[in-house]
Amino acid sequence: MTFFFIAITIIVFLLLIEVPVGFAFGIGALTYGYLSGTDISFHAGFGYTQIGAFSLLAIPLFILSGTLMGASGISDRLLNFVNAFVGRTKGGLGAVTVITCALFGAISGSASAAIAAIGKIMVPRMIKEGYPPGHATALIAVSSVLALMIPPSIPMIVFAIAIRESVAKAFLATMGPGILLALIYCGLNFFFLRKNTTIRVQPKLSLPDTARQIALTGKQATLAIFMPVIILGGIYSGIATPTEAGAVALVYTLFVGILIYRSLSFGQLFDSTIEAARLAGAILMVLFFLFVMSRGMVLAKVPTQFADLLLTVSENRIVILLLINLLLLFMGMIIDDVSGSVLAAIILLPVTQRIGLDPIHFAGIVGTNLGLGNISPPCAPLLYMAGGVTRQPLSEYIGPTMKFLMLGHLPMVFLVTFIPELSLYLPGLLD
């Protein structure tokens, strides 16, 4: 147990001094292996086997389809369609940003891809129309988390594999909370901007003109809107596995971008493939070292010992759930959502089993809470990425971000934790 805490401390320190995540976990895994006196080559074989799992192939497929969506202009068509409904109201562009991030999540499963594709388009547009730059940046940062909660979700793929549960059920565990959170963010956006006098709103159209605009943008975005239907319909009808759905999403994106919209050039295809390979490679490198480290911890019974330690604090179910959420929040603050999903599965699952928590309910808690941590300082990888994309100083958007988190995401974490039906109702439909 002592060696585990030493390894975790080293990993946290390396992350805080901005060592790349993959290298930080690699050094932590090697340190743990050395201190515990185990043969690292024995655990490396286990890690290699785990990252070779067929289900994990969905990760690069969804990442590549997401990057190609942004490059081919498919995300622009989604934005225009959503904008036709609410774009001509005060605060409407903010609602468009939130809803489009949720739709983008139903295709790519990647928060960083949502920031890159949606943020680069919507934030300059919002600022041009008079939105406070800090509010616009904060909105894209908090909305990007919806891409992690609306299936297909890359962190939930990894989590389901780690706990040996259905990937489809893990997807649905965060879908209900994700939809509710999107509605909350839309409401908060309108509330925060209600007294703003700098926002310029396009003149309202008559009902027939609005209907024509919706019909026109809907026709242009039909193939983009149909994509989530194909992906999720394939998964939940049993026709395709998540990995097969990822392959279909990629082929569909290429077909639409190259042959239908003719907006995807060879250069864009090449650049998107390189970017997707870089992101997927970084994720798989982290996962490899996490699996290596987890093998050693399981053999040393570290998760069981950690569960015993946590239960010595209190045996009250509510207290334990609050402690679990606190640990998840801390994980999300210092590491990415994929790494946090694996660590949560390894370290905290034994605790949840002791208190009788359903594994799918735990998936909902993990997916909701890690997203909160990813946009909460000090590390806040998604928050800083949003600032980098929009080129705004942290002082401009940290305040608005904290308002969204405290009034929106944090209450949702508690609702998911203490109202299990939010996470269990949709997965229960698959039984």
Side-chain angles (χ1 to χ4, degrees):
M1 190 73 172
T2 303
F3 300 146
F4 164 71
F5 282 117
I6 292 174
I8 291 295
T9 302
I10 290 173
I11 291 171
V12 171
F13 172 74
L14 293 174
L15 291 171
L16 290 176
I17 61 174
E18 299 185 355
V19 172
V21 178
F23 292 110
F25 276 100
I27 294 170
L30 292 172
T31 301
Y32 180 79
Y34 174 77
L35 293 176
S36 60
T38 56
D39 184 357
I40 197 69
S41 62
F42 171 72
H43 302 312
F46 174 77
Y48 181 78
T49 301
Q50 289 294 100
I51 64 168
F54 179 72
S55 299
L56 285 182
L57 186 58
I59 293 176
L61 291 172
F62 281 122
I63 289 175
L64 181 54
S65 64
T67 54
L68 290 174
M69 267 191 63
S72 63
I74 293 176
S75 54
D76 293 22
R77 294 169 185 265
L78 284 175
L79 281 168
N80 292 334
F81 177 61
V82 177
N83 188 63
F85 286 91
V86 294
R88 293 177 181 270
T89 58
K90 187 175 183 179
L93 286 180
V96 170
T97 300
V98 175
I99 296 169
T100 309
C101 279
L103 290 173
F104 196 84
I107 299 170
S108 70
S110 169
S112 57
I115 291 174
I118 310 302
K120 288 179 180 178
I121 301 170
M122 287 306 300
V123 173
R125 187 184 296 184
M126 283 191 281
I127 293 175
K128 183 180 178 181
E129 295 298 326
Y131 282 68
H135 178 91
T137 304
L139 194 60
I140 190 64
V142 299
S143 299
S144 69
V145 176
L146 298 173
L148 302 176
M149 299 176 68
I150 305 294
S153 165
I154 291 174
M156 285 297 99
I157 293 174
V158 175
F159 184 81
I161 292 171
I163 67 171
R164 294 177 173 82
E165 284 285 344
S166 164
V167 174
K169 287 187 175 182
F171 279 169
L172 290 179
T174 56
M175 185 173 183
I179 293 172
L180 287 175
L181 189 58
L183 295 175
I184 290 171
Y185 278 155
C186 286
L188 288 174
N189 166 70
F190 286 120
F191 177 76
F192 293 153
L193 297 176
R194 69 193 187 284
K195 295 181 179 179
N196 188 291
T197 58
T198 64
I199 295 176
R200 295 184 293 277
V201 182
Q202 296 178 359
K204 287 188 178 295
L205 298 176
S206 64
L207 189 59
D209 288 339
T210 300
R212 278 192 290 270
Q213 186 179 31
I214 291 174
L216 176 62
T217 56
K219 181 180 179 181
Q220 294 172 342
T222 298
L223 294 175
I225 297 167
F226 197 53
M227 192 172 176
V229 177
I230 293 175
I231 296 172
L232 300 181
I235 293 173
Y236 295 114
S237 66
I239 296 174
T241 65
T243 300
E244 291 165 346
V248 170
L250 176 56
V251 173
Y252 185 85
T253 304
L254 289 171
F255 176 76
V256 172
I258 296 174
L259 298 179
I260 306 298
Y261 293 158
R262 297 186 178 182
S263 56
L264 188 62
S265 66
F266 178 78
Q268 291 172 320
L269 176 59
F270 180 80
D271 291 340
S272 296
T273 303
I274 294 298
E275 176 65 14
R278 186 186 66 80
L279 291 173
I283 289 173
L284 291 176
M285 181 179 177
V286 171
L287 289 178
F288 171 75
F289 285 116
L290 276 171
F291 286 132
V292 168
M293 191 171 170
S294 71
R295 179 70 165 178
M297 289 192 297
V298 169
L299 291 177
K301 298 182 178 179
V302 170
T304 304
Q305 294 173 24
F306 187 83
D308 292 337
L309 177 64
L310 202 59
L311 289 170
T312 58
V313 177
S314 174
E315 294 187 358
N316 184 288
R317 182 186 174 90
I318 294 176
V319 173
I320 294 299
L321 285 172
L322 290 174
L323 288 173
I324 287 172
N325 273 296
L326 189 61
L327 288 169
L328 287 171
L329 179 61
F330 177 70
M331 285 183 191
M333 286 180 177
I334 61 173
I335 57 178
D336 63 279
D337 49 296
V338 175
S339 308
S341 297
V342 178
L343 278 179
I346 298 167
I347 300 170
L348 296 177
L349 185 63
V351 182
T352 63
Q353 291 172 332
R354 296 277 192 91
I355 61 173
L357 195 71
D358 188 290
I360 299 302
H361 181 201
F362 184 43
I365 295 173
V366 170
T368 307
N369 198 318
L370 287 178
L372 173 62
N374 281 176
I375 42 179
S376 299
C379 291
L382 294 179
L383 180 63
Y384 298 143
M385 182 181 177
V389 167
T390 61
R391 297 184 179 180
Q392 295 293 325
L394 179 62
S395 57
E396 285 283 335
Y397 60 86
I398 186 63
T401 299
M402 295 310 296
K403 283 197 233 178
F404 276 113
L405 296 185
M406 297 302 293
L407 296 176
H409 207 134
L410 185 60
M412 182 55 61
V413 169
F414 287 115
L415 289 174
V416 171
T417 301
F418 297 108
I419 306 178
E421 289 74 18
L422 285 175
S423 295
L424 295 177
Y425 177 74
L426 292 177
L429 298 177
L430 297 180
D431 295 329

